[in-house]
Amino acid sequence: MAFFKSIFPKGFRRKHEKLESRSLCHDEEEHEFQVRYLGERPISESNSKKSTAQAVSHLVQTAKHDKEKSKKVTLVINTSAIRINETSSYCLIDIPLGHVSYCSADAKFSDVFAFVSVSATGDLKCLAFLCESKKQVECLC
């Protein structure tokens, strides 16, 4: 949460604002993290530790049974969006920061980082990532 707090000093509790559309390549403050993408799962509550924990638990169990499901990706976070790149030139997912409603380090799986995003239609989904270490999770949170 420390990284997000540096971007949004007033916090996530305020109402979502539309961010101006900017190219991700031109942002000055951009951070990259090498992680494994565990996947995404629909959830019912945007700021719920319980809903997020259930989704993360399901995604971790699925990844354990199917090694190909967890892809090595680069998680790129900047002041306008979160981008998940499969390779240096292919963007798998691009989520504006205004659509992120909650992020956390999982209590059960200490090396998993997850966040909840809201789609344009209002649907909520939890995206989870397996990090290299607990320290990397702390940097993301």
Side-chain angles (χ1 to χ4, degrees), residues 12 21-22 33 40-41 47 55 65 67 71 76 80-81 89-90 103 115 119 123 127 133 135:
F12 286 109
S21 178
R22 295 188 302 197
F33 302 91
E40 61 185 56
R41 184 160 172 85
N47 292 331
H65 294 297
K67 293 286 184 189
K71 300 176 185 178
V76 180
S80 64
S89 60
Y90 178 67
C103 68
F115 69 88
S119 71
D123 297 329
L127 290 86
S133 65
K135 186 171 182 165

Side-chain angles (χ1 to χ4, degrees), residues 110-125:
S110 60
D111 54 350
V112 174
F113 166 75
F115 69 88
V116 176
S117 106
V118 182
S119 71
T121 60
D123 297 329
L124 300 169
K125 61 183 174 182

Side-chain angles (χ1 to χ4, degrees), residues 68-84:
E68 290 184 20
K69 287 274 185 183
S70 63
K71 300 176 185 178
K72 284 186 180 180
V73 298
T74 303
L75 185 64
V76 180
I77 303 173
N78 60 38
T79 57
S80 64
I82 296 175
R83 185 187 329 158
I84 303 164

Side-chain angles (χ1 to χ4, degrees), residues 1 7 24 32 34 36 46 69 83 90 103 124 128 130:
M1 201 64 137
I7 294 174
L24 295 174
E32 294 185 1
Q34 301 302 314
R36 286 195 169 273
S46 64
K69 287 274 185 183
R83 185 187 329 158
Y90 178 67
C103 68
L124 300 169
L130 179 65

Side-chain angles (χ1 to χ4, degrees), residues 1-8 12 31 33 35 49 52 75 77 82 100 102-107 109-116 127 129 131 133-141:
M1 201 64 137
F3 176 74
F4 288 108
K5 284 181 181 175
S6 70
I7 294 174
F8 294 111
F12 286 109
H31 301 276
F33 302 91
V35 295
K49 287 182 182 181
T52 305
L75 185 64
I77 303 173
I82 296 175
V100 175
Y102 181 77
C103 68
S104 71
D106 192 71
F109 304 100
S110 60
D111 54 350
V112 174
F113 166 75
F115 69 88
V116 176
L127 290 86
F129 304 88
C131 298
S133 65
K134 291 178 188 178
K135 186 171 182 165
Q136 188 179 34
V137 174
E138 289 172 9
C139 287
L140 284 162
C141 290

